[in-house]
Amino acid sequence: MSKSNDDATSPPPGLERENADTDRILARRASLVAAALGGLALPFAAACAGPPQPCLSMARFDHDTFPNDPPSEWRGFWISSSVAASQGLPRLGLRAKLTQRGFSVWPQSGDTYASASGPPGGPLSFRAVALRRGASSPEPEGAETLLRGALEGATGLEPVIVGPVESVTLAKRTLSAQAVRAGTANAATDYCLVRVPQAPGAETGMLLVFGVPAKPSGVPGCVSVLEHEALRELVDTIEFDGG
């Protein structure tokens, strides 16, 4: 007996159920991808069309990228974001090389992530401190207050000259910065204050303070501070963990 045309085009027994199962799996996959990507799943769902198989590899983004402990040969700064958070600091990490002779380096203490002072012959310093507010909203009139707070009540800063708000690039990030000139004679120092938000738009974060011998005149600027030969290695090798 010959089969009808309908019978000839009908799927074999069991295939209808298999197709239904496949459709359900694909629908479930699309909904999971949509949930993971916040509504941007359509391109991925289209790429996954066909029989069920692994076709979307999503790497987890982790802000914690530094190990907690530096290599034994490391010379400079090293504090991971997880260690910083455990000490009550904004969850940011910092590392940079400082191999130049004559620098004294101190590890995390209180609200300070790390600090260093240079060899005799002129003021040279670096300090990274917690920024509890204003990380993403620089205000020129607040720079002196930030500097005094970062230097923990240091005296002999007068007169203070505050430069304009600038943008600088550190570790491939564009960050808000301001220069401040403070002190007189051999103690006169040009500081560059760089704000590193804990996350884009965050009010908390880290304040980096670089200090070099002041120029004799003119408005202080961050470029000349960050390009100072004694700080060049630190500036070139600085990296952030998180943010």
Side-chain angles (χ1 to χ4, degrees):
M1 179 182 296
S2 61
K3 294 184 178 180
S4 66
N5 289 337
D6 290 340
D7 291 338
T9 57
S10 298
L15 185 57
E16 290 182 353
R17 178 170 184 152
E18 182 179 340
N19 288 340
D21 290 341
T22 298
D23 290 341
R24 282 194 297 272
I25 292 172
L26 291 176
R28 175 62 173 164
R29 175 181 293 156
S31 66
L32 290 175
V33 172
L37 299 179
L40 299 179
L42 288 177
F44 294 95
C48 290
Q53 57 182 338
C55 61
L56 176 62
S57 176
M58 294 179 60
R60 178 176 178 270
F61 181 76
D62 194 341
H63 287 294
D64 299 334
T65 56
F66 296 179
N68 286 342
D69 298 314
S72 58
E73 70 277 8
W74 187 266
R75 291 181 60 190
F77 311 103
W78 186 298
I79 180 170
S80 70
S81 58
S82 58
V83 168
S86 72
Q87 299 301 309
L89 297 167
R91 194 179 186 86
L92 276 171
L94 170 75
R95 68 180 175 189
K97 292 181 179 179
L98 188 58
T99 62
Q100 183 174 330
R101 292 179 179 273
F103 270 92
S104 298
V105 178
W106 292 276
Q108 184 272 327
S109 177
D111 257 10
T112 302
Y113 289 86
S115 60
S117 62
L124 287 170
S125 63
F126 171 77
R127 186 177 291 264
V129 300
L131 189 55
R132 302 296 182 181
R133 62 185 181 86
S136 297
S137 303
E139 297 178 1
E141 63 271 21
E144 180 178 348
T145 301
L146 288 176
L147 177 64
R148 291 184 183 277
L151 300 183
E152 298 176 342
T155 59
L157 298 179
E158 295 76 13
V160 175
I161 302 172
V162 179
V165 176
E166 307 176 53
S167 292
V168 301
T169 300
L170 290 176
K172 299 181 180 180
R173 298 189 188 186
T174 300
L175 301 166
S176 176
Q178 283 177 269
V180 179
R181 180 171 295 152
T184 59
N186 293 336
T189 306
D190 278 351
Y191 295 97
C192 176
L193 282 60
V194 182
R195 303 166 189 253
V196 187
Q198 183 176 349
E203 284 299 296
T204 58
M206 182 187 295
L207 180 72
L208 308 180
V209 182
F210 303 84
V212 303
K215 286 188 172 182
S217 62
V219 177
C222 276
V223 172
S224 60
V225 174
L226 298 179
E227 289 183 347
H228 193 282
E229 183 177 0
L231 299 181
R232 185 164 298 169
E233 180 189 35
L234 190 159
V235 171
D236 288 346
T237 61
I238 197 166
E239 294 180 83
F240 303 112
D241 183 17

